[in-house]
Every structure is written in C-alpha cells, then in structure tokens.
C-alpha cells in the first residue's frame, strides 16, 4: 500500500502551518483525498508530497505560486519532457530578467547611499573642525 500523510504530517515535515497547506490546496497545487465524516480529513499521497516539495523549491527560487503550478502541472501530461523543459526554461528566463532588473535598481540605490554617506561624513568633518 502506498504511503499516505495527514495534513499535520506534511506540515510538520516541511515546517509549514496547516493553514499554508490549505492555501496550497485552494491554489490547486495539492489535491488530497477526503475521508471521514463529511470528508473532513485530508489524506495526502506521495504525489501530493512531491508536489509540495516542488512548490516549496519553486518558492525558494522566487517563482510565484501560479508559475509553480504551471510548471508542476505540466509534468502531469504525457511523458515527453521537452515541452515541460521548454516551459521551465521560459519561466526561469523571465524570472532571471526580473531579478537582474531588481539587482540593477538595488545597485543604483546602494551607489546613491554611498554618495550620501560620503557627503555627510565630509560635512560632519568640516563641522567638527569648525568647533
């Protein structure tokens, strides 16, 4: 029999809250089966565990949950990996462009801060000499 997990099992394993787990379910990233009275108990499969692991990896890369879902869902299609890899590369390239633009902005901000620091230190030096 294939292993199954409760929401608490996976939340604990991946250091998440059960609320986060339910959010991922609402986003369509996880699709647990329902058991018990009124289907209140979520039962996660090894597939759900893998999807959760991939979702968290995508988040660490800075991808949105929508982008993560698109990539992960593409692996549910037939086994030809070329379309999945092309999609993954396209998403990564777009994300890299955004990060590079942010890095340029951050570098410009740092350069401006350095210039202000240099000016303030010079003014402070003049003010202290004038005393």
């Amino acid at each position: 029999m294939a292993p199954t997990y409760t929401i608490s099992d996976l939340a604990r394993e991946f250091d998440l809250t059960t609320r986060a787990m339910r959010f991922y379910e609402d986003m369509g990233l996880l699709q647990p089966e329902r058991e018990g009275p009124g289907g209140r108990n979520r039962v996660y499969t090894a597939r759900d565990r893998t999807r959760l692991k991939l979702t968290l990896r995508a988040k660490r890369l800075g991808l949105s949950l929508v982008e993560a879902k698109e990539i992960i869902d593409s692996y549910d299609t037939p086994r030809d990996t070329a379309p999945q890899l092309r999609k993954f590369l396209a998403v990564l390239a777009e994300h890299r462009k955004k990060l590079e633009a942010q890095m340029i902005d951050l570098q410009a901000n740092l350069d401006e801060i350095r210039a202000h620091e240099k000016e303030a230190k010079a003014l402070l030096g003049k003010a202290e000499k004038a005393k």
Side-chain angles (χ1 to χ4, degrees), residues 14 16 20 23-25 27-30 47-70 72-73:
F14 291 99
L16 298 169
F23 179 72
Y24 293 151
E25 181 181 346
M27 293 289 297
L29 289 156
L30 303 174
R47 178 182 179 272
D48 290 309
R49 184 183 175 282
T50 299
R51 287 178 66 92
L52 179 58
K53 190 174 187 176
L54 292 172
T55 298
L56 297 175
R57 184 176 297 156
K59 271 187 64 180
R60 279 193 307 276
L61 287 173
L63 301 178
S64 72
L65 291 179
V66 171
E67 290 169 322
K69 183 178 180 337
E70 287 176 7
I72 294 167
D73 284 349

Side-chain angles (χ1 to χ4, degrees), residues 108-123:
N109 287 340
L110 286 170
D111 291 344
E112 188 174 343
I113 287 170
R114 286 184 190 103
H116 287 300
E117 286 175 333
K118 184 177 180 180
E119 182 181 351
K121 286 176 183 177
L123 290 171

Side-chain angles (χ1 to χ4, degrees), residues 81-115:
T81 60
Q84 290 95 339
L85 291 172
R86 277 193 283 279
K87 173 67 176 172
F88 185 54
L89 287 171
V91 169
L92 287 177
E94 184 63 31
H95 189 64
R96 182 179 34 75
K97 284 182 199 174
K98 288 177 190 174
L99 289 175
E100 287 171 346
Q102 288 174 348
M103 192 153 31
I104 290 168
D105 290 343
L106 286 171
Q107 190 60 54
N109 287 340
L110 286 170
D111 291 344
E112 188 174 343
I113 287 170
R114 286 184 190 103

Side-chain angles (χ1 to χ4, degrees), residues 8-27:
S8 297
D9 292 338
L10 290 181
R12 196 171 26 256
E13 179 180 349
F14 291 99
D15 195 26
L16 298 169
T17 63
T18 55
R19 182 177 181 175
M21 297 283 298
R22 289 189 295 274
F23 179 72
Y24 293 151
E25 181 181 346
D26 290 344
M27 293 289 297

